[in-house]
Each structure stands twice: as C-alpha cells, then as structure tokens.
Amino acid sequence: MIPNSGFRKYVVIAGRRNVGKSSFLNTLIGQNVSIVSSTAGTTTDPVFKTMELNPVGPITFIDTPGLDDVGELGLKRIEKAKKVLYRADAGILIVDSKPSIFEENIVKIFTKLEIPFLIIINKTDILNDKVDEFEKSYKKFNAPILAVSSKQKTGFETIGIELNKIIPSDEEIPFLSDLITGGDLVILVVPIDLGAPKGRLIMPQVHAIREGLDSEALVLVVKERELRYAIENIGMKPKLVVTDSQSVMKVVSDVPKNVNLTTFSILESRYRGDLHYFIESVKTIESLKDGDEVIIMEGCTHRPLTEDIGRVKIPRWLINHTGASLEFKVWAGVDMPDFSDIENAKLIIHCGGCVMNRNSMMRRVRMFKRLGIPMTNYGVVISYLHGVLERAIKPLI
Ligand SMILES: Nc1nc2c(ncn2[C@@H]2O[C@H](COP(=O)(O)OP(=O)(O)OP(=O)(O)O)[C@@H](O)[C@H]2O)c(=O)[nH]1
Ligand SMILES: [Mg+2]
C-alpha cells in the first residue's frame, strides 16, 4: 500500500449521546478540547481538533453531537453532525452497549457514504466482562473493533495503526505509459505563449516526456505551429499526440483522424482524479440555467493571471455556451471545503490539481459524489466546450 500523503485527513467521531465521544477525543489527543459531562447532549456543535497521529500523519478529528439527539433542536444538531460526515476520510463509531437502532443507523450512513470506520467500545473500566459479549454483537458490521477506557486512558496504543489501515490510499495510475510501447512516436504539443513560465516546461509536460522516455518511446516536443510540419515530415505515424488544452482547437485540425489525440489535462484528470466522473459531470453544463451557482475550485492559492483560465476564460466560455447568467464562485485552498461552501453548487469545476496528489484529489471526488454534486475539471470542460472531448478521451477509455 502506498503510504498516506502529508495531506490532512478528516476522521469523524460518531455515536449516541453520552457514550464518551468527547472523552475519547480528549484522551486521544491528551487535551481537554471537547466538553465532557454526564448530561446527554453536551456536545451541540461539531468540534474540530487537529493532531499528528502516527503512522497516519496529521488528522483533524471531528467530535459530533450524539446522533440520537431528540427534540427540534436535537434534530438540527443531528443535521449539522451529518453534514460534517461528508468530508470524512474515516469514521469512528463509539459505543458503550450492544448495537441499537442508532448504531445500526450510523453504520448505514457510513456504508452509504462509503466511509470506512472503526468501532470502539468505550468504558471498558465499567463494562468489565461485557466487553467480549459486545464485541461479538458488533462483528456483523465487518469493521475493526477496539476496546478502550477513555477514563483510564487504556487501549489507545493501536488506534493510529488501525486508522491507517482503513483510510483510503488511492493507487497511483500511469500518466501515459499504458498508452504507448517501446519504439512508438509520441508528439507533445507545447505552446510557448505568455502563460508559459520563463525558461522551463510545466509539470505535466515534463511528466509526459519522462514517462515516454521510460517507455522507450520516441518523444518529439513541438510548438503548435510546427506540428503539421512534424507530422508530414517525420515519416512515421505517431501513436499519440498530446496537446495543451487551450491549443486543442488548432491542433485537432492538424492531426489526422486516425491518430490518437488527447490533452495534458485529460491525462492529468485520469492520473489524479476520476476521469469517468468528470466526463459524466460535464454534461451538467447543458442543464445550467440563470442564477445557478458554479464553483471554480483550485488546489492552491496562486495569484490569478489577467486572463486566468479558471476565473476568466472558463466562465466566459460557459456563459457563451449556455446563454445563462451563471453565478461563479471561486474556492481555492489545499484543505477540504466546508459543506456550507459548496452546498448550493450545481457544478464544480476543479483545476488540474498540479500541487495535489491523487489521494487528495480523490478525497474531494468522493466528497462531491456523496453529496451528489457533479464535479469536473478544467481540462474536460475546455475540451467539451470546444467540441473535442470525445476525441480527446477516446485513447483513454
Ligand atoms: N467509566 C467511564 N466513564 C466514561 C468513559 N468515557 C466517558 N465517560 C463518562 O461518560 C459521560 C459522557 O461522556 P462524554 O464524553 O461527554 O460523552 P459524549 O458521547 O461526548 O456525549 P454527548 O456530547 O452528550 O453526545 C461522562 O460522564 C464521562 O465521564 C469511560 O471510559 N469510563
Ligand atoms: Mg460530547
């Protein structure tokens, strides 16, 4: 298994009221961050606390109100608690009894949202020999079961190890090496325009060159103006042409129909994210109407360029395409967005994520899938709006 990256993980602590969720968190992190009392319903809002837990790395634990809360306010608290569940990478279900309807429900939510979870039997200091009996009764949920006493601080040694086993770690997939073999010709079209950094190539371009070389392919790098000349004079049919998304319109007419053509962004979408979800989601564009919110999401907080692709060009193209007056919102950062940041979004358009790894991008994908919010990315949108998506994804699917 690939080790989890340095990106912070979110682990939600759930359970009925008074089972000791807050006590568990306080003992785990060795600080009193969450109020503990014998009154049911002590925790009323989710409490966030970040710590470094070996071997996982940084984790933000989220202590939640009991999911069996009652009354009008109680139901509101449950709704709030459920909202933080969407961003969780893993869950911890704290229990102090055999499974009741509430534990069954929490497990149902975890299962539905595909959140892997641990079951922790708390209060072993007073449960004594009932622990074994309870443990047996939770086996049916097929989750690792641990027993602790938050009060006596026992049983906490293996929690990090068990969490690390269940937190998803997405396997890396190739950039383009599976699309070519030794001796193939790969042409990379790299525009050197104002947006190109001075004196160097950008990561996806370097990545493609390196994987091409590793595959013993012949890698030819050209600007878009030299592409036709290269194809006509090289005396060999290229196996694959990869172009910058923004030049795809010009490039498409220069590459014969029987040659595979894709874009760096489409390769990145597959490498880092969920290309199939991005393609499915891009169709949402056709149903966007006046007032719909579209979120432009970026993986870092770079300083926007004047003709910024995410903030200027994509919004302009989208408005032209749909004829609708759409509401654009930019969300940028390395962390996971809050539910309130995205709850009204009809579509999320993510950047290529050059500073993100597959793990962190897939966590966002999972979150939006759970919420039923379509998510696509710059590369897929650009190809789609220029009418070349079908051709650009053909070599990959
Ligand atoms: N004996 C014993 N008591 C515990 C243990 N953990 C928690 N308690 C007690 O259980 C009661 C509830 O603890 P909390 O940590 O507030 O429980 P909670 O699940 O956060 O409760 P809510 O926030 O109301 O949902 C308190 O009186 C704690 O002292 C434990 O390991 N052993
Ligand atoms: Mg609490």
Side-chain angles (χ1 to χ4, degrees), residues 339-360:
F339 182 77
S340 56
D341 296 327
I342 47 150
E343 61 183 327
N344 297 319
K346 289 286 182 298
L347 178 65
I348 288 174
I349 306 178
H350 206 289
C351 70
C354 60
V355 302
M356 298 170 74
N357 64 9
R358 183 167 174 79
N359 260 311
S360 54

PDB file of all heavy atoms in Angstrom, residues 339-360:
ATOM      1  N   PHE A 339     -18.991  22.185   4.069  1.00  0.00           N
ATOM      2  CA  PHE A 339     -20.272  21.903   3.430  1.00  0.00           C
ATOM      3  C   PHE A 339     -20.936  23.205   2.978  1.00  0.00           C
ATOM      4  O   PHE A 339     -21.463  23.302   1.875  1.00  0.00           O
ATOM      5  CB  PHE A 339     -21.173  21.157   4.423  1.00  0.00           C
ATOM      6  CG  PHE A 339     -22.494  20.782   3.849  1.00  0.00           C
ATOM      7  CD1 PHE A 339     -22.607  19.700   2.984  1.00  0.00           C
ATOM      8  CD2 PHE A 339     -23.630  21.509   4.149  1.00  0.00           C
ATOM      9  CE1 PHE A 339     -23.829  19.359   2.435  1.00  0.00           C
ATOM     10  CE2 PHE A 339     -24.857  21.178   3.604  1.00  0.00           C
ATOM     11  CZ  PHE A 339     -24.958  20.097   2.753  1.00  0.00           C
ATOM     12  N   SER A 340     -20.855  24.238   3.859  1.00  0.00           N
ATOM     13  CA  SER A 340     -21.538  25.492   3.530  1.00  0.00           C
ATOM     14  C   SER A 340     -20.912  26.185   2.314  1.00  0.00           C
ATOM     15  O   SER A 340     -21.547  27.012   1.682  1.00  0.00           O
ATOM     16  CB  SER A 340     -21.513  26.425   4.737  1.00  0.00           C
ATOM     17  OG  SER A 340     -20.174  26.622   5.128  1.00  0.00           O
ATOM     18  N   ASP A 341     -19.662  25.850   1.995  1.00  0.00           N
ATOM     19  CA  ASP A 341     -19.019  26.469   0.827  1.00  0.00           C
ATOM     20  C   ASP A 341     -19.592  25.939  -0.481  1.00  0.00           C
ATOM     21  O   ASP A 341     -19.475  26.579  -1.516  1.00  0.00           O
ATOM     22  CB  ASP A 341     -17.510  26.156   0.803  1.00  0.00           C
ATOM     23  CG  ASP A 341     -16.786  26.753   1.984  1.00  0.00           C
ATOM     24  OD1 ASP A 341     -17.198  27.818   2.440  1.00  0.00           O
ATOM     25  OD2 ASP A 341     -15.803  26.134   2.449  1.00  0.00           O
ATOM     26  N   ILE A 342     -20.105  24.742  -0.434  1.00  0.00           N
ATOM     27  CA  ILE A 342     -20.415  24.063  -1.693  1.00  0.00           C
ATOM     28  C   ILE A 342     -21.847  23.580  -1.820  1.00  0.00           C
ATOM     29  O   ILE A 342     -22.235  23.061  -2.857  1.00  0.00           O
ATOM     30  CB  ILE A 342     -19.492  22.832  -1.856  1.00  0.00           C
ATOM     31  CG1 ILE A 342     -19.488  22.047  -0.542  1.00  0.00           C
ATOM     32  CG2 ILE A 342     -18.081  23.231  -2.233  1.00  0.00           C
ATOM     33  CD1 ILE A 342     -19.280  20.627  -0.712  1.00  0.00           C
ATOM     34  N   GLU A 343     -22.636  23.755  -0.743  1.00  0.00           N
ATOM     35  CA  GLU A 343     -23.948  23.104  -0.741  1.00  0.00           C
ATOM     36  C   GLU A 343     -24.877  23.562  -1.859  1.00  0.00           C
ATOM     37  O   GLU A 343     -25.750  22.819  -2.287  1.00  0.00           O
ATOM     38  CB  GLU A 343     -24.644  23.234   0.620  1.00  0.00           C
ATOM     39  CG  GLU A 343     -24.916  24.656   1.038  1.00  0.00           C
ATOM     40  CD  GLU A 343     -25.548  24.720   2.427  1.00  0.00           C
ATOM     41  OE1 GLU A 343     -26.309  23.807   2.772  1.00  0.00           O
ATOM     42  OE2 GLU A 343     -25.278  25.687   3.159  1.00  0.00           O
ATOM     43  N   ASN A 344     -24.675  24.788  -2.359  1.00  0.00           N
ATOM     44  CA  ASN A 344     -25.585  25.263  -3.408  1.00  0.00           C
ATOM     45  C   ASN A 344     -25.043  25.063  -4.823  1.00  0.00           C
ATOM     46  O   ASN A 344     -25.674  25.473  -5.789  1.00  0.00           O
ATOM     47  CB  ASN A 344     -25.874  26.753  -3.199  1.00  0.00           C
ATOM     48  CG  ASN A 344     -26.578  26.996  -1.886  1.00  0.00           C
ATOM     49  OD1 ASN A 344     -27.472  26.220  -1.514  1.00  0.00           O
ATOM     50  ND2 ASN A 344     -26.150  28.017  -1.144  1.00  0.00           N
ATOM     51  N   ALA A 345     -23.882  24.446  -4.915  1.00  0.00           N
ATOM     52  CA  ALA A 345     -23.255  24.330  -6.238  1.00  0.00           C
ATOM     53  C   ALA A 345     -24.016  23.375  -7.145  1.00  0.00           C
ATOM     54  O   ALA A 345     -24.433  22.306  -6.729  1.00  0.00           O
ATOM     55  CB  ALA A 345     -21.824  23.840  -6.080  1.00  0.00           C
ATOM     56  N   LYS A 346     -24.191  23.813  -8.388  1.00  0.00           N
ATOM     57  CA  LYS A 346     -24.806  22.930  -9.380  1.00  0.00           C
ATOM     58  C   LYS A 346     -23.704  22.172 -10.121  1.00  0.00           C
ATOM     59  O   LYS A 346     -23.931  21.113 -10.686  1.00  0.00           O
ATOM     60  CB  LYS A 346     -25.623  23.751 -10.392  1.00  0.00           C
ATOM     61  CG  LYS A 346     -26.896  24.333  -9.809  1.00  0.00           C
ATOM     62  CD  LYS A 346     -27.947  23.236  -9.628  1.00  0.00           C
ATOM     63  CE  LYS A 346     -29.260  23.745  -9.094  1.00  0.00           C
ATOM     64  NZ  LYS A 346     -29.205  24.353  -7.768  1.00  0.00           N
ATOM     65  N   LEU A 347     -22.510  22.760 -10.107  1.00  0.00           N
ATOM     66  CA  LEU A 347     -21.385  22.119 -10.785  1.00  0.00           C
ATOM     67  C   LEU A 347     -20.094  22.635 -10.169  1.00  0.00           C
ATOM     68  O   LEU A 347     -19.971  23.823  -9.880  1.00  0.00           O
ATOM     69  CB  LEU A 347     -21.415  22.459 -12.290  1.00  0.00           C
ATOM     70  CG  LEU A 347     -20.273  21.917 -13.146  1.00  0.00           C
ATOM     71  CD1 LEU A 347     -20.283  20.388 -13.201  1.00  0.00           C
ATOM     72  CD2 LEU A 347     -20.351  22.462 -14.583  1.00  0.00           C
ATOM     73  N   ILE A 348     -19.155  21.719  -9.982  1.00  0.00           N
ATOM     74  CA  ILE A 348     -17.835  22.124  -9.510  1.00  0.00           C
ATOM     75  C   ILE A 348     -16.841  21.869 -10.630  1.00  0.00           C
ATOM     76  O   ILE A 348     -16.813  20.778 -11.216  1.00  0.00           O
ATOM     77  CB  ILE A 348     -17.456  21.361  -8.226  1.00  0.00           C
ATOM     78  CG1 ILE A 348     -18.326  21.910  -7.099  1.00  0.00           C
ATOM     79  CG2 ILE A 348     -15.959  21.506  -7.910  1.00  0.00           C
ATOM     80  CD1 ILE A 348     -18.232  21.234  -5.805  1.00  0.00           C
ATOM     81  N   ILE A 349     -16.068  22.892 -10.946  1.00  0.00           N
ATOM     82  CA  ILE A 349     -15.047  22.737 -11.986  1.00  0.00           C
ATOM     83  C   ILE A 349     -13.695  22.917 -11.310  1.00  0.00           C
ATOM     84  O   ILE A 349     -13.352  24.012 -10.873  1.00  0.00           O
ATOM     85  CB  ILE A 349     -15.238  23.766 -13.127  1.00  0.00           C
ATOM     86  CG1 ILE A 349     -16.679  23.686 -13.670  1.00  0.00           C
ATOM     87  CG2 ILE A 349     -14.227  23.513 -14.234  1.00  0.00           C
ATOM     88  CD1 ILE A 349     -16.976  24.691 -14.768  1.00  0.00           C
ATOM     89  N   HIS A 350     -12.971  21.823 -11.200  1.00  0.00           N
ATOM     90  CA  HIS A 350     -11.707  21.837 -10.467  1.00  0.00           C
ATOM     91  C   HIS A 350     -10.550  22.108 -11.422  1.00  0.00           C
ATOM     92  O   HIS A 350     -10.607  21.746 -12.594  1.00  0.00           O
ATOM     93  CB  HIS A 350     -11.511  20.479  -9.780  1.00  0.00           C
ATOM     94  CG  HIS A 350     -10.655  20.562  -8.561  1.00  0.00           C
ATOM     95  ND1 HIS A 350      -9.303  20.802  -8.632  1.00  0.00           N
ATOM     96  CD2 HIS A 350     -10.952  20.458  -7.250  1.00  0.00           C
ATOM     97  CE1 HIS A 350      -8.827  20.852  -7.395  1.00  0.00           C
ATOM     98  NE2 HIS A 350      -9.799  20.642  -6.540  1.00  0.00           N
ATOM     99  N   CYS A 351      -9.493  22.691 -10.877  1.00  0.00           N
ATOM    100  CA  CYS A 351      -8.276  22.878 -11.685  1.00  0.00           C
ATOM    101  C   CYS A 351      -7.600  21.524 -11.867  1.00  0.00           C
ATOM    102  O   CYS A 351      -8.042  20.521 -11.308  1.00  0.00           O
ATOM    103  CB  CYS A 351      -7.328  23.847 -10.986  1.00  0.00           C
ATOM    104  SG  CYS A 351      -6.589  23.141  -9.496  1.00  0.00           S
ATOM    105  N   GLY A 352      -6.529  21.487 -12.610  1.00  0.00           N
ATOM    106  CA  GLY A 352      -5.820  20.230 -12.843  1.00  0.00           C
ATOM    107  C   GLY A 352      -5.225  19.643 -11.572  1.00  0.00           C
ATOM    108  O   GLY A 352      -4.932  18.456 -11.498  1.00  0.00           O
ATOM    109  N   GLY A 353      -5.043  20.477 -10.590  1.00  0.00           N
ATOM    110  CA  GLY A 353      -4.531  19.989  -9.308  1.00  0.00           C
ATOM    111  C   GLY A 353      -3.043  19.693  -9.322  1.00  0.00           C
ATOM    112  O   GLY A 353      -2.604  18.710  -8.730  1.00  0.00           O
ATOM    113  N   CYS A 354      -2.246  20.573  -9.982  1.00  0.00           N
ATOM    114  CA  CYS A 354      -0.819  20.256 -10.115  1.00  0.00           C
ATOM    115  C   CYS A 354      -0.096  20.191  -8.771  1.00  0.00           C
ATOM    116  O   CYS A 354       0.924  19.546  -8.657  1.00  0.00           O
ATOM    117  CB  CYS A 354      -0.129  21.220 -11.079  1.00  0.00           C
ATOM    118  SG  CYS A 354      -0.225  22.928 -10.566  1.00  0.00           S
ATOM    119  N   VAL A 355      -0.633  20.840  -7.743  1.00  0.00           N
ATOM    120  CA  VAL A 355       0.029  20.729  -6.437  1.00  0.00           C
ATOM    121  C   VAL A 355      -0.593  19.631  -5.573  1.00  0.00           C
ATOM    122  O   VAL A 355      -0.175  19.404  -4.454  1.00  0.00           O
ATOM    123  CB  VAL A 355      -0.005  22.061  -5.627  1.00  0.00           C
ATOM    124  CG1 VAL A 355       0.645  23.185  -6.392  1.00  0.00           C
ATOM    125  CG2 VAL A 355      -1.432  22.434  -5.251  1.00  0.00           C
ATOM    126  N   MET A 356      -1.591  18.967  -6.127  1.00  0.00           N
ATOM    127  CA  MET A 356      -2.261  17.928  -5.341  1.00  0.00           C
ATOM    128  C   MET A 356      -1.797  16.554  -5.816  1.00  0.00           C
ATOM    129  O   MET A 356      -1.382  16.400  -6.952  1.00  0.00           O
ATOM    130  CB  MET A 356      -3.784  18.013  -5.536  1.00  0.00           C
ATOM    131  CG  MET A 356      -4.377  19.316  -5.065  1.00  0.00           C
ATOM    132  SD  MET A 356      -6.090  19.496  -5.583  1.00  0.00           S
ATOM    133  CE  MET A 356      -6.924  18.355  -4.482  1.00  0.00           C
ATOM    134  N   ASN A 357      -1.895  15.573  -4.952  1.00  0.00           N
ATOM    135  CA  ASN A 357      -1.631  14.225  -5.437  1.00  0.00           C
ATOM    136  C   ASN A 357      -2.971  13.502  -5.608  1.00  0.00           C
ATOM    137  O   ASN A 357      -4.034  14.066  -5.340  1.00  0.00           O
ATOM    138  CB  ASN A 357      -0.676  13.473  -4.518  1.00  0.00           C
ATOM    139  CG  ASN A 357      -1.265  13.264  -3.145  1.00  0.00           C
ATOM    140  OD1 ASN A 357      -2.442  13.525  -2.912  1.00  0.00           O
ATOM    141  ND2 ASN A 357      -0.447  12.802  -2.229  1.00  0.00           N
ATOM    142  N   ARG A 358      -2.896  12.281  -6.096  1.00  0.00           N
ATOM    143  CA  ARG A 358      -4.133  11.553  -6.382  1.00  0.00           C
ATOM    144  C   ARG A 358      -4.995  11.381  -5.132  1.00  0.00           C
ATOM    145  O   ARG A 358      -6.214  11.500  -5.187  1.00  0.00           O
ATOM    146  CB  ARG A 358      -3.787  10.193  -6.991  1.00  0.00           C
ATOM    147  CG  ARG A 358      -5.003   9.402  -7.396  1.00  0.00           C
ATOM    148  CD  ARG A 358      -4.687   8.214  -8.271  1.00  0.00           C
ATOM    149  NE  ARG A 358      -5.881   7.440  -8.500  1.00  0.00           N
ATOM    150  CZ  ARG A 358      -6.826   7.767  -9.380  1.00  0.00           C
ATOM    151  NH1 ARG A 358      -6.676   8.828 -10.138  1.00  0.00           N
ATOM    152  NH2 ARG A 358      -7.899   7.026  -9.511  1.00  0.00           N
ATOM    153  N   ASN A 359      -4.321  11.111  -4.023  1.00  0.00           N
ATOM    154  CA  ASN A 359      -5.060  10.931  -2.770  1.00  0.00           C
ATOM    155  C   ASN A 359      -5.945  12.120  -2.442  1.00  0.00           C
ATOM    156  O   ASN A 359      -7.121  11.978  -2.119  1.00  0.00           O
ATOM    157  CB  ASN A 359      -4.072  10.787  -1.612  1.00  0.00           C
ATOM    158  CG  ASN A 359      -3.905   9.346  -1.239  1.00  0.00           C
ATOM    159  OD1 ASN A 359      -4.894   8.647  -1.062  1.00  0.00           O
ATOM    160  ND2 ASN A 359      -2.674   8.907  -1.137  1.00  0.00           N
ATOM    161  N   SER A 360      -5.353  13.314  -2.511  1.00  0.00           N
ATOM    162  CA  SER A 360      -6.113  14.474  -2.073  1.00  0.00           C
ATOM    163  C   SER A 360      -7.202  14.819  -3.084  1.00  0.00           C
ATOM    164  O   SER A 360      -8.284  15.277  -2.703  1.00  0.00           O
ATOM    165  CB  SER A 360      -5.200  15.664  -1.792  1.00  0.00           C
ATOM    166  OG  SER A 360      -4.411  15.936  -2.899  1.00  0.00           O
TER     167      SER A 360
END
